[in-house]
Amino acid sequence: MADFPTTARVVIIGGGAVGASCAYHIAKAGWDCVLLEKNELTAGSTWHAAGNCPSFSTSWAIMNMQRYSLGLFARLADEVDYPMNYHVTGSIRLGHSKERVMEFERARAMGRYQGLDLEMMQVSDIKDRYPFVETHDLAGALWDPDDGDIDPAQLTQALAKGARQMGARIERFCPATGVSRRGSEWIVHTDKGDIACEKVVNAAGYYAQRVGEWFKPYGGRTVPMTVMSHQYFLTDEIPELAAWTKENGRKVPLLRDVDSSYYLRQDKNGLNLGPYERNCKAHWVTPDDPMPEDFSFQLYPDDLDRLEWYIEDAMARVPLLGTAGVGRVINGPIPYAPDGLPLVGPMPGVPNAFEACVFTFGITQSGGAGKVLAEWVTEGQTEWDMWAVDPRRFTDYADQDYCNQKALETYGHEYAMHFPHHRWPAGADKRLSPNHAKVRELGGVMGVYNGWERANWFAHPGDDTSEEATHTWARSGPWQPRVAAECAAVRDAVGVLDLPGFSRFRLSGPGAAAHLDRLTAGRLPKPGRVGLAYFPDDRGRILTEMSVLCHGEDDFTLITAATAQWHDYDVLKADLPEGVTLRDDSADTSTLIVTGPQSRALFEALDTDADLSLPWLSHQRATVAGRPCTLVRVSFAGELGWEIHAANADMPALYDAVLGAGATPFGMFALNSLRIEKGYRAWKGDLSTDYSLLEGGLERFIDWSKDFTGKSALEVEKQRGASKRFAMLTVDAGECDAPYMSSIWQNGQVVGETTSGAWGYRVDASVALGMIRSDLAVPGTTLEVEIFGERRPAKVQSDGPLWDPQNERLRA
């Protein structure tokens, strides 16, 4: 094997559409790479994929990826001189309810902002585009003109050809057998020889978990995924469909009945029906059904009985379907992550290793995934914020039991609407607060945050806590009067929030302060003080936000969002100097937020040696109710208050003492309302790498006199002037508050987007945080916020909190 490559900058494991796209984009960036495929290209999920190509998504990041893919597919055949069957037929999504039409309206607005031409359809217009469909029970529909289908094998071969033309090597019938480390290099082992490389990519599709095991000795974890069985069938030729196609010179649009949960697509002159059935099935998850060593170009046995209801429903919707026999059944493996989104980005805990795997819709996402992965590999960052698919979003709570439960739930609700007050029930109770039983006893209706169970609101006897009650986009529901009362208790007296799961890290040792100073834009706090630190990337964009508690000259505790645990650990670990230690203490400590104008009086009534006169943004070790703890004088609710940080074993006694002294329990819904009135940003909503620190209105946290990552980019931006600015808006919002990425309008033009929205119970108004064109970030400017298709009047507020603008209550 004299010509077998022994070195490369990047090795990609897996030769499906995603792996080939990674090779294409990495080669396009000028890096040499080798792609290893154990069989022929497309041998995994790619070869049996239906090849549907929607742009539609309610995730901003996924829509970006899919939009990019469709643009790539349109030009790829000519670019690499490889013919592909790519049919842009358009698609119709059918909506059975007002709520579904509202979801369509939201996606349409997001798509317009990204340059897509999604259109709402009247029921009366559907038959003009799809004459064979029954429409009598529909509420509306969405038209996606860019949707269609592509031959997955041809797409993969075209990407592979393009990669080869730019210098990539593709080794077929060359299975990777393992990896090892040699200094800072990876050695990828194969039966044909070893390849030394800088970076390695797991693009192994439904074998990604098996490949992921090779990386465990180097800090890895089990890849969070489950393999599901997805069936679709192709009918025999339908004469009426063939005649219509011949007469009109095109195929009928792809039809998605998302409320019934299936797609129906013309395939030649027949139809292709693909349901996502509730009574779905996972494979290779039990000892009696082990994953085979090689499942290349294989399928599961047909199991059409599972699809009976969906077939009957589709035949009632399109009677033409019932006139033809079943020609062929495809029942193949498709990997699912717990939330149904892929894993694209850094492999958690492993240096210079990446994942581009667990794609449920790998064909339509392959182009964008290759672009994003190549940016991670070659630049260390991505053009768009891609937290939605970052592998670090799942931490160690996502064990196999959790993955299996969530995969079944997600597959069976593939087209489900994700309502703002709804909690998907599968996979519950993976991480419990020390106070969990007490919180539930008090009426806590739970939500999940990085696996941790927290109360969203506290129900009273007789309140409707059913899942069905949450199936609404409106703010009103059984929770609303309870959340209002919880906010009032924090405003007028004192509330307590049990808050397990904060990510917390201890950074210490000679050079710790210098390391942290380089990573953050502002000044570090002095011993005994707390500071809010912003971490820019080298473009000056907002990488993350952490609270910094300074214990001594080179001794810090950093506290950040629960979901940021593995992400922010990586931020702190990057280029960690010798002699500086970084420890993750997230699992050992829990937190209570005690806040409200009577919180000082509450602590005085407890047995404590704390100095309650210490100012805002201070911290101290103290004893409260006989238990040792750290008291931090901050409040995300914007009132006088403290956070109590204590060992898990001490938390029940502290919670009982605070409740016994008169505090009202409140939940995450109330906290979200309280924080938004103060303009406090939430991570990966208001704070993301889509925005720079200057755009985010965070200049007061920048110390221009020191050197830090991203300073030069921010200096250039400051001189030039930011094109957009953070703003707080009050919105005449009607029944629904502004969801993430609602378009902001002025004079018929889109001028920005919301990053979060909620009802502010203290200011009695709907509040939205967002980014708008810089010249419009002037108090009093009138705008419109598009909320589920309706443009609602909004007004820009001053650059400061709506509630307690001088922070007098915080400092009391």
Side-chain angles (χ1 to χ4, degrees):
M1 300 297 294
D3 64 340
F4 185 77
T6 58
T7 62
R9 294 195 74 178
V10 186
V11 171
I12 302 162
I13 301 171
V18 172
S21 181
C22 291
Y24 170 90
H25 286 89
I26 289 171
K28 193 171 187 177
W31 284 41
D32 71 285
C33 64
V34 174
L35 183 150
L36 301 175
E37 166 53 45
K38 69 189 300 181
N39 197 284
E40 180 58 89
L41 296 180
T42 78
S45 293
T46 296
W47 81 271
H48 63 75
N52 299 332
C53 296
S55 64
F56 177 97
S57 179
T58 53
S59 162
W60 185 257
I62 292 294
M63 182 178 277
N64 256 327
M65 281 181 26
Q66 294 179 173
R67 172 183 56 81
Y68 175 87
S69 290
L70 302 193
L72 173 64
F73 299 169
R75 67 176 187 271
L76 184 62
D78 290 338
E79 178 187 315
V80 304
D81 191 24
Y82 191 94
M84 292 190 300
N85 289 316
Y86 179 33
H87 309 108
V88 180
T89 61
S91 71
I92 301 171
R93 285 178 183 260
L94 305 178
H96 293 227
S97 65
K98 170 190 171 184
E99 288 75 22
R100 183 65 78 175
V101 172
M102 292 170 70
E103 180 200 51
F104 290 167
E105 287 280 15
R106 182 184 176 210
R108 179 186 61 85
M110 289 169 54
R112 183 200 297 113
Y113 201 171
Q114 290 196 14
L116 299 170
D117 294 322
L118 301 174
E119 300 174 18
M120 295 302 299
M121 298 178 67
Q122 298 296 321
V123 173
S124 58
D125 297 330
I126 296 174
K127 279 183 173 287
D128 293 340
R129 286 195 166 118
Y130 200 110
F132 306 111
V133 65
E134 296 296 318
T135 63
H136 60 281
D137 58 344
L138 299 177
L142 182 78
W143 170 249
D144 180 353
D146 299 316
D147 205 339
D149 61 270
I150 197 167
D151 184 300
Q154 291 176 340
L155 169 63
T156 304
Q157 295 294 347
L159 289 165
K161 183 177 181 182
R164 290 188 187 101
Q165 289 172 346
M166 293 181 286
R169 288 287 300 267
I170 295 179
E171 295 291 328
R172 300 172 301 134
F173 303 101
C174 184
T177 57
V179 298
S180 60
R181 292 286 278 172
R182 185 173 63 198
S184 61
E185 285 187 320
W186 285 106
I187 309 299
V188 180
H189 306 292
T190 81
D191 291 338
K192 295 182 180 180
D194 293 345
I195 307 175
C197 60
E198 295 177 31
K199 302 184 180 185
V200 63
V201 179
N202 180 358
Y206 52 73
Y207 278 97
Q209 191 174 82
R210 183 168 289 178
V211 170
E213 295 299 299
W214 303 341
F215 295 89
K216 279 189 172 179
Y218 310 103
R221 88 300 182 217
T222 300
V223 175
M225 61 174 285
T226 299
V227 178
M228 298 296 297
S229 154
H230 177 58
Q231 291 187 94
Y232 63 90
F233 71 80
L234 308 173
T235 71
D236 296 329
E237 181 170 314
I238 302 173
E240 294 91 333
L241 189 60
W244 188 93
T245 301
K246 183 177 180 181
E247 179 182 349
N248 290 274
R250 57 184 173 87
K251 296 164 69 173
V252 293
L254 194 155
L255 199 69
R256 287 188 179 83
D257 193 330
V258 289
D259 290 306
S260 292
S261 193
Y262 58 80
Y263 62 82
L264 186 65
R265 191 188 88 203
Q266 182 173 346
D267 189 278
K268 298 179 181 176
N269 287 317
L271 290 170
N272 171 343
L273 177 67
Y276 291 91
E277 70 277 16
R278 295 286 174 89
N279 54 327
C280 51
K281 183 176 182 179
H283 272 283
W284 307 332
V285 294
T286 57
D288 61 343
D289 181 28
M291 174 180 274
E293 284 301 315
D294 190 353
F295 201 68
S296 299
F297 297 111
Q298 296 184 57
L299 295 171
Y300 303 130
D302 300 352
D303 191 9
L304 286 181
D305 289 346
R306 292 207 319 260
L307 309 185
E308 182 178 356
W309 183 91
Y310 302 88
I311 295 170
E312 291 178 354
D313 189 81
M315 287 192 299
R317 180 66 57 200
V318 181
L320 205 61
L321 177 66
T323 66
V326 175
R328 187 184 180 199
V329 177
I330 307 295
N331 184 10
I334 295 183
Y336 265 71
D339 59 4
L341 303 184
L343 306 178
V344 187
M347 186 181 295
V350 184
N352 290 329
F354 300 84
E355 292 175 339
C357 53
V358 199
F359 281 81
T360 299
F361 296 100
I363 303 306
T364 194
Q365 292 169 7
S366 61
K371 166 191 157 59
V372 168
L373 191 281
E375 291 168 347
W376 270 123
V377 168
T378 64
E379 302 173 32
Q381 57 199 14
T382 53
E383 177 185 358
W384 315 310
D385 189 283
M386 296 305 298
W387 179 246
V389 299
D390 193 309
R392 295 168 295 184
R393 71 190 187 273
F394 298 112
T395 61
D396 55 9
Y397 70 91
D399 59 17
Q400 197 59 52
D401 172 69
Y402 176 83
C403 292
N404 294 345
Q405 289 188 52
K406 297 304 286 186
L408 291 165
E409 179 181 68
T410 302
Y411 181 100
H413 297 84
E414 183 59 64
Y415 295 126
M417 292 173 277
H418 296 274
F419 296 109
H421 296 96
H422 178 246
R423 183 256 175 89
W424 292 101
D429 294 348
K430 285 298 176 181
R431 285 176 163 172
L432 301 181
S433 160
N435 297 318
H436 181 75
K438 182 68 173 182
V439 169
R440 293 298 304 269
E441 178 189 323
L442 292 169
V445 180
M446 310 308 286
V448 64
Y449 301 82
N450 195 33
W452 288 98
E453 299 285 328
R454 296 176 181 169
N456 280 330
W457 60 288
F458 285 84
H460 290 194
D463 285 347
D464 185 357
T465 59
S466 67
E467 193 177 348
E468 291 73 23
T470 67
H471 292 174
T472 176
W473 300 111
R475 80 177 66 86
S476 61
W479 54 85
Q480 188 178 23
R482 308 305 173 212
V483 174
E486 291 169 24
C487 291
V490 172
R491 179 195 66 199
D492 299 334
V494 59
V496 59
L497 172 63
D498 183 61
L499 195 68
F502 263 140
S503 301
R504 67 188 74 229
F505 313 106
R506 193 68 176 255
L507 185 75
S508 59
H515 176 63
L516 195 55
D517 201 44
R518 178 180 58 82
L519 294 175
T520 58
R523 294 183 179 180
L524 298 180
K526 301 297 184 183
R529 300 290 288 170
V530 184
L532 194 58
Y534 288 92
F535 294 68
D537 64 17
D538 60 16
R539 302 166 296 183
R541 298 189 188 183
I542 306 166
L543 195 57
T544 193
E545 168 199 78
M546 302 189 206
S547 295
V548 181
L549 283 63
C550 182
H551 306 293
E553 182 179 352
D554 277 311
D555 190 6
F556 302 91
T557 292
L558 297 107
I559 300 176
T560 184
T563 53
Q565 183 181 1
W566 283 3
H567 176 281
D568 283 6
Y569 186 84
D570 280 355
V571 171
L572 294 169
K573 187 179 178 182
D575 300 318
L576 193 69
E578 188 175 347
V580 177
T581 60
L582 175 63
R583 189 178 72 216
D584 188 335
D585 292 336
S586 303
D588 303 324
T589 305
S590 196
T591 304
L592 299 178
I593 294 180
V594 182
T595 185
Q598 296 180 20
S599 55
R600 181 177 282 115
L602 180 145
F603 277 106
E604 289 171 342
L606 297 174
D607 177 20
T608 181
D609 59 3
D611 182 353
L612 299 175
S613 68
L614 288 180
W616 183 45
L617 300 180
S618 62
H619 66 92
Q620 60 183 304
R621 288 296 295 174
T623 299
V624 175
R627 304 290 173 156
C629 60
T630 296
L631 284 182
V632 185
R633 176 80 191 276
V634 295
S635 172
F636 200 50
E639 300 284 353
L640 172 67
W642 285 263
E643 292 176 358
I644 305 176
H645 300 264
N648 291 329
D650 292 319
M651 265 297 153
L654 287 163
Y655 193 47
D656 285 344
V658 171
L659 289 169
T664 298
F666 69 100
M668 297 299 290
F669 289 169
L671 183 65
N672 188 53
S673 169
L674 296 163
R675 71 94 186 168
I676 209 165
E677 294 170 309
K678 294 292 292 182
Y680 294 160
R681 281 68 152 174
W683 190 68
K684 289 307 180 189
D686 314 299
L687 302 170
S688 81
T689 56
D690 282 333
Y691 308 114
S692 74
L693 268 67
L694 293 179
E695 290 173 332
L698 301 173
E699 187 167 358
R700 67 187 182 279
F701 294 98
I702 299 175
D703 179 1
W704 297 103
S705 68
K706 72 170 205 174
D707 290 326
F708 58 89
T709 303
K711 179 181 178 181
S712 58
L714 287 168
E715 287 177 328
V716 171
E717 183 181 2
K718 184 180 182 182
Q719 186 174 14
R720 182 185 66 234
S723 60
K724 57 174 65 175
R725 294 287 295 183
F726 175 84
M728 294 185 68
L729 311 174
T730 51
V731 189
D732 179 8
E735 295 181 350
C736 306
D737 299 308
Y740 175 65
M741 285 295 167
S742 299
S743 297
I744 301 174
W745 292 78
Q746 189 190 55
N747 298 329
Q749 290 188 324
V750 176
V751 295
E753 69 273 1
T754 63
T755 53
S756 58
W759 185 264
Y761 289 93
R762 289 177 299 192
V763 299
D764 196 30
S766 183
V767 182
L769 310 184
M771 295 287 177
I772 59 177
R773 213 173 62 203
S774 300
D775 61 300
L776 301 176
V778 178
T781 302
T782 57
L783 302 168
E784 295 175 305
V785 175
E786 184 172 353
I787 301 177
F788 299 110
E790 188 177 1
R791 297 186 198 175
R792 305 291 302 189
K795 182 176 289 188
V796 177
Q797 302 298 314
S798 59
D799 185 14
L802 295 181
W803 176 253
D804 185 27
Q806 302 304 316
N807 288 330
E808 293 171 354
R809 296 168 72 95
L810 271 175
R811 300 173 187 272

